[in-house]
Amino acid sequence: MNERLALRGAVAPGAAAAKPGAMPGKVWGALRRHRWLILACLVAGLGVGAVLASRVEPSYQAGASLLVGDRQPGVQAVRQEGAATDPDGVATEIQVLQSRALAAEVVDSLRLQVQVASPTTARRSSLLSAMRVAPDVAPATYRFQRQDGGRFTVTDVGAGERIGSYRPGETVRIPEGELVLARTAGRTAEFDIAIDSRQGAAAALAGSIRVSQPTRDAKTIHVSYEGRDPELVRDIPNVLAAHFITLRRDMHSTEARTTAEFLRGQLGTIRGQLTEAENRLQRFREQQQVVDLPVEASTQVARQAQMEADRSSMEAERASLAALIGEARREVRTPGDVSPYRRLVAFPSLLKNEATTQLLSTLTEVEGQRADLLRRRKENDPDVVALTERVRSLEGQLGSLVTTYQQGLSSQVASIDNTLGTFSRRMDRIPGKQLEYARLSRQTKVLDDMYVLLQARLKEAEITQAVQDPSVRVIDPAELPSSPVSSHRGLLLGMAGIAGLLVGVGAGMVREYRDGAVHSRDDVEVATGFPVLGWVPRIAELDAQARRPGALGSARRLLARGGGKA
């Protein structure tokens, strides 16, 4: 018998109270008494954790790193010299890499509409050597079961229909597509192939790709992908990076080509206007026999002539701007046409305005994106519509800026008119040919400066078109993963062990609570309300005699002689 023999004293009930330090000892004693139950629960938890850990599917991960530099705009003419680059350029490129449009290109390149549903450890290349399905194919799952003779029976799992029987290397024709069994497919007794639409596969891929910027200060982007097929895990980041670089280069080339074509048209127009202005000036000089302005002309006359010329220039510029804006607003265009607001580049005064140059640059860039998108999509595509609305918004902003600029020109003209009123009497004595000569000379000079500027910008655009965009390149391609990534099997096993231990401790505490036996002096005090005056400890000699025949009587005699301490 393991319980101690307690002796009660003649003390009033309730006099005994539990000692403050007795609770840890009672808990420890309860844990010792139920140690086998706790150990059994721990072993059971570890067993369950081992089973779950063994069923965790292996997963592979690979990634590619790209270096993204400052993108050089193709429209050099509408970009202010020394303008700061876009500080959020890397963030923009990350959004492009995560777009569904780019993911759809990867789906088409790698045929990701076809995936291995089971077994999860099988590589797609070991089961299928080629595949082709329609972009809008309905999702389906096909089961391949190997029969005697090495042939595979193909069944549509969803419809429950048998497709046919095929050997490795033969083409399996399915609705809206076909699959070619690989020569090594015979090594697998049964496998399932899942087919998805292009849109569904692209959405799933876009959600699985992880794009991040490892370091905030470095213009590098890391593209990673995790999956069950190590070959696809390697190919997806590399193909995504290749399509991204191709997209950047196409946009760069399209923008530069569009700019060059526009500048060539503007140069032809300005060339004709400049020739006409030079001819008018030459005819005037010949008719009036003007060699140089009179040396004796006073400062006031020169100033008056300059003010008159400035007023004429402002008036002409204001009229030209009004005609251009009105024509641009009245012009009916299709989504593929170039915006007539680009003609604002012909006004050097507008190029000095930073806001106007930025809007023109953005308008050219958005139109380039829209033109590139229209090659692959229709006009009613949501992305094309969004870009068209963006172009209209930019055109509206440009119209507002030009209107404000026109109002400023009107104010300046009104101010000059007020000043000219004070010189009306003096101007009566100034030869009219002096003012006419100043007007003609100024017009010729303005057109000549504009022609030189557009010619320089055309050369820059042609050079940009000939040179490929070097601002993005792959610096670390993805490689075939040699081993699965951490599957958290150790963590799962540890959590299962902790859960088993907690269940065991809880079960032990429940059994201890429901156990009415006396195990300690504290139990006696709580049960009787009397303090314990003494106890008889376990006697080794008495235990040894109790195990032999007739040991019970010897033990009683030993107790009677006072063999135990009180």
Side-chain angles (χ1 to χ4, degrees):
M1 181 176 184
N2 296 331
E3 292 81 2
R4 294 173 179 172
L5 180 61
L7 301 178
R8 297 192 294 267
V11 183
K19 297 180 179 180
M23 184 58 67
K26 291 179 64 177
V27 174
W28 176 249
L31 294 178
R32 288 188 59 190
R33 282 189 292 274
H34 302 289
R35 59 184 178 276
W36 296 113
L37 175 61
I38 297 174
L39 182 60
C41 293
L42 175 61
V43 173
L46 291 175
V48 173
V51 172
L52 294 178
S54 64
R55 296 184 178 180
V56 175
E57 300 175 354
S59 181
Y60 299 86
Q61 188 178 34
S65 297
L66 295 86
L67 176 63
V68 180
D70 294 333
R71 185 165 177 261
Q72 299 296 328
V75 187
Q76 299 290 341
V78 297
R79 181 175 182 267
Q80 185 178 3
E81 297 297 333
T85 58
D86 182 12
D88 298 328
V90 176
T92 303
E93 306 303 342
I94 289 177
Q95 295 298 322
V96 175
L97 283 167
Q98 292 177 328
S99 63
R100 287 194 301 270
L102 205 58
E105 298 291 339
V106 179
V107 168
D108 295 339
S109 299
L110 298 178
R111 304 292 189 270
L112 296 182
Q113 291 180 247
V114 182
Q115 295 286 348
V116 178
S118 67
T120 57
T121 56
R123 298 188 181 186
R124 189 182 66 172
S125 60
S126 65
L127 303 178
L128 301 175
S129 59
M131 59 215 76
R132 181 189 62 81
V133 293
D136 55 348
V137 64
T141 302
Y142 298 94
R143 180 161 295 165
F144 292 73
Q145 294 176 318
R146 189 180 60 196
Q147 307 295 331
D148 296 338
R151 300 182 69 87
F152 280 90
T153 300
V154 183
T155 307
D156 188 338
V157 177
E161 299 178 355
R162 185 175 180 272
I163 303 299
S165 179
Y166 305 89
R167 291 184 179 275
E170 295 182 348
T171 300
V172 181
R173 301 192 182 279
I174 60 175
E176 301 185 71
E178 56 186 22
L179 308 174
V180 180
L181 284 170
R183 298 292 181 181
T184 57
R187 302 174 185 175
T188 307
E190 180 179 336
F191 59 91
D192 293 344
I193 298 298
I195 308 295
D196 197 0
S197 64
R198 182 176 185 264
Q199 184 178 2
L205 179 62
S208 301
I209 294 175
R210 298 291 178 265
V211 184
S212 61
Q213 185 179 6
T215 305
R216 181 65 179 174
D217 298 333
K219 294 185 178 181
T220 57
I221 299 177
H222 185 71
V223 182
S224 63
Y225 178 78
E226 183 175 344
R228 297 172 299 180
D229 192 332
E231 294 179 354
L232 293 180
V233 167
R234 173 200 60 189
D235 295 340
I236 287 176
N238 290 335
V239 174
L240 180 66
H243 281 289
F244 173 69
I245 293 175
T246 302
L247 176 63
R248 283 281 299 253
R249 290 176 178 174
D250 291 344
M251 292 175 59
H252 177 83
S253 177
T254 302
E255 185 178 355
R257 183 175 60 256
T258 303
T259 303
E261 293 174 356
F262 167 73
L263 289 175
R264 290 191 188 97
Q266 291 296 313
L267 274 174
T269 302
I270 298 300
R271 186 185 299 112
Q273 295 177 359
L274 178 59
T275 301
E276 180 64 23
E278 290 174 343
N279 291 337
R280 286 199 301 269
L281 179 61
Q282 181 66 24
R283 288 194 299 269
F284 177 79
R285 296 182 65 178
E286 290 175 356
Q287 294 173 0
Q288 302 295 331
Q289 297 182 354
V290 175
V291 178
D292 198 354
L293 292 176
V295 178
E296 65 275 8
S298 64
T299 303
Q300 293 182 353
V301 172
R303 180 184 175 190
Q304 186 71 14
Q306 183 64 35
M307 292 178 63
E308 188 71 19
D310 290 342
R311 184 189 182 284
S312 300
S313 176
M314 291 179 186
E315 191 68 27
E317 185 176 5
R318 183 177 61 177
S320 299
L321 281 176
L324 179 59
I325 291 298
E327 181 182 358
R329 291 174 176 173
R330 292 189 303 270
E331 183 174 348
V332 179
R333 293 168 290 143
T334 62
D337 294 343
V338 176
S339 173
Y341 284 82
R342 289 196 187 181
R343 299 170 189 168
L344 296 175
V345 75
F347 293 87
S349 57
L350 290 179
L351 296 181
K352 299 177 182 179
N353 188 296
E354 182 178 358
T356 306
T357 57
Q358 289 180 353
L359 284 175
L360 285 171
S361 177
T362 304
L363 176 62
T364 304
E365 181 179 357
V366 173
E367 283 194 328
Q369 295 176 0
R370 184 182 61 181
D372 181 68
L373 196 60
L374 282 172
R375 298 176 184 174
R376 297 178 282 110
R377 303 185 185 181
K378 298 181 178 180
E379 296 178 3
N380 59 355
D381 185 84
D383 294 337
V384 175
V385 173
L387 290 176
T388 303
E389 293 297 328
R390 176 64 174 160
V391 169
R392 293 175 180 174
S393 176
L394 293 172
E395 290 177 349
Q397 297 178 32
L398 282 171
S400 299
L401 285 176
V402 172
T403 301
T404 303
Y405 182 73
Q406 284 181 288
Q407 294 175 355
L409 290 177
S410 300
S411 300
Q412 294 181 25
V413 169
S415 177
I416 292 177
D417 289 338
N418 293 333
T419 305
L420 289 176
T422 60
F423 294 96
S424 57
R425 295 180 181 179
R426 301 171 186 173
M427 289 296 297
D428 293 337
R429 298 188 297 269
I430 298 177
K433 65 179 181 180
Q434 186 176 2
L435 294 177
E436 185 66 19
Y437 181 81
R439 294 191 190 100
L440 294 175
S441 298
R442 182 177 180 83
Q443 186 177 10
T444 303
K445 185 177 184 305
V446 169
L447 291 173
D448 183 68
D449 293 343
M450 188 181 301
Y451 182 80
V452 173
L453 175 64
L454 292 179
Q455 197 171 36
R457 298 310 185 194
L458 176 60
K459 295 299 181 182
E460 293 178 0
E462 291 175 346
I463 295 174
T464 303
Q465 182 180 358
V467 178
Q468 292 186 349
D469 183 16
S471 60
V472 58
R473 62 181 182 272
V474 177
I475 58 176
D476 191 9
E479 298 181 353
L480 185 68
S482 58
S483 59
V485 295
S486 176
S487 58
H488 305 291
R489 294 185 177 180
L491 178 61
L492 182 61
L493 192 62
M495 293 179 63
I498 293 175
L501 183 62
L502 293 176
V503 171
V505 172
M509 292 294 101
V510 171
R511 289 188 61 182
E512 182 69 18
Y513 176 75
R514 301 183 62 182
D515 187 5
V518 176
H519 298 285
S520 65
R521 61 183 294 175
D522 295 330
D523 294 340
V524 175
E525 293 178 355
V526 173
T528 63
F530 296 99
V532 177
L533 301 180
W535 66 93
V536 178
R538 183 187 298 275
I539 301 174
E541 181 181 355
L542 185 60
D543 288 344
Q545 292 179 5
R547 295 188 182 94
R548 296 195 296 270
L552 183 57
S554 300
R556 289 176 177 174
R557 289 192 297 272
L558 182 60
L559 285 173
R561 292 197 301 268
K565 293 183 180 180

